[in-house]
Amino acid sequence: MSQFNFTTLGQFIIEKQSEFPFAKGELSRLLRDIGIAAKVISREVNKAGIAEIIGDVGEINIQGEDVKKLDLIGNEMFTTVLERGGEVCAFASEEEDNMVALKGTHSKNGQYVVCIDPLDGSSNIDVNVSIGTIFSIYRRVTSVGTEPTLEDVLQAGNRLVASGYIIYGSSTMLVYSTGKGVNGFTLDNSIGEFCLSHPNIQTPKDGTIYSLNEGNASDFPEGVQKYISWCKEKDKETQRPYSARYIGSMVADLHRNLLKGGIFIYPPTAKAPNGKLRLMFECIPMAFIVEQAGGIATTGKERVLDIQPKELHQRVPVFIGSANMVNKALSFS
């Protein structure tokens, strides 16, 4: 195979543009804009230790979490890129209290809204553990040319146009879906391009990894506690005991499980009766990816993508990953 036989993100998006005749190129440009922002953030993440952009800024975000310097950089980068692109009328971020109506020259005529977690797992920044960006794209519901409203953002995941994530680890990788399967692109720094490295990702139906914070196990629902105990039992037929792997960055944990097979759980607890993860910024976009790869995403009671959001920063429990593993976990409820 020729060393020049590769497909870049831009080429791939153009090739697939015919799948969205309604978009007329806007969605393709939007996805390329997200790719550009990801390259810049990847650069900032990789030089964080020597550029004095590690650490807190002394602020608390809407989630009650310490704001990291890179959180702000990521948030500002995506705001700037999306505003200049003109395809997006409104932007909602985990770092912002409210939806932001973009003020670019063409933003009011933008057909899309974007929800984003600029740096998922940012508490891991200071210790050089993989972090990521999660994004989702919807078509606006208000009329083009008018001021966008919260109605444009608060849409169920079954109305998504696209979603994806970028993981900043030993390499930077962008994984996304437009509802036609899942594809992954690895950043080649030598040419400054994301290149197709993981076409048509399909997550295994079974796996041997379970991911959750067992430090909270005493507060988990009885069914989850029973499932964890079952995962630890010895059984050659089902390859148990399973391996416990928990990074604390949803992107990193789900990326591993997506490729290798596994289940990620963040159940309700006494401290977080509605779960801890954000529906709009984490659960919906990752559920879309996992389902497109053949997996399952549920709160334990309903499909994540069927939930009608009521609040921008709404939280939900989540059981997500390989289909057989999720179904087995639910059987203990």
Side-chain angles (χ1 to χ4, degrees), residues 160-238:
L160 271 174
V161 172
S163 81
Y165 62 85
I166 303 106
I167 182 167
Y168 312 103
S170 56
S171 61
T172 296
M173 190 171 171
L174 186 153
V175 177
Y176 85 98
S177 174
T178 55
K180 307 286 184 179
V182 181
N183 292 279
F185 301 78
T186 299
L187 181 61
D188 184 338
N189 288 304
S190 68
I191 60 173
E193 292 284 357
F194 281 102
C195 297
L196 182 62
S197 56
H198 294 67
N200 191 29
I201 296 171
Q202 288 290 303
T203 194
K205 295 293 183 185
D206 283 295
T208 59
I209 298 171
Y210 69 98
S211 308
L212 79 173
N213 185 355
E214 285 196 68
N216 296 324
S218 62
D219 289 332
F220 289 165
E222 183 180 358
V224 177
Q225 293 185 34
K226 288 181 178 179
Y227 177 67
I228 295 172
S229 296
W230 181 84
C231 289
K232 294 177 179 179
E233 293 174 359
K234 289 186 178 181
D235 185 276
K236 289 184 178 180
E237 185 177 343
T238 55

Side-chain angles (χ1 to χ4, degrees), residues 43-57 68-70 73 125-126:
R43 181 193 65 190
E44 296 300 311
V45 168
N46 287 326
K47 71 177 186 181
I50 59 175
E52 297 184 354
I53 51 177
I54 282 178
D56 302 337
V57 295
K68 303 291 183 180
K69 294 174 184 177
L70 277 170
I73 290 172
I125 291 171
D126 295 357

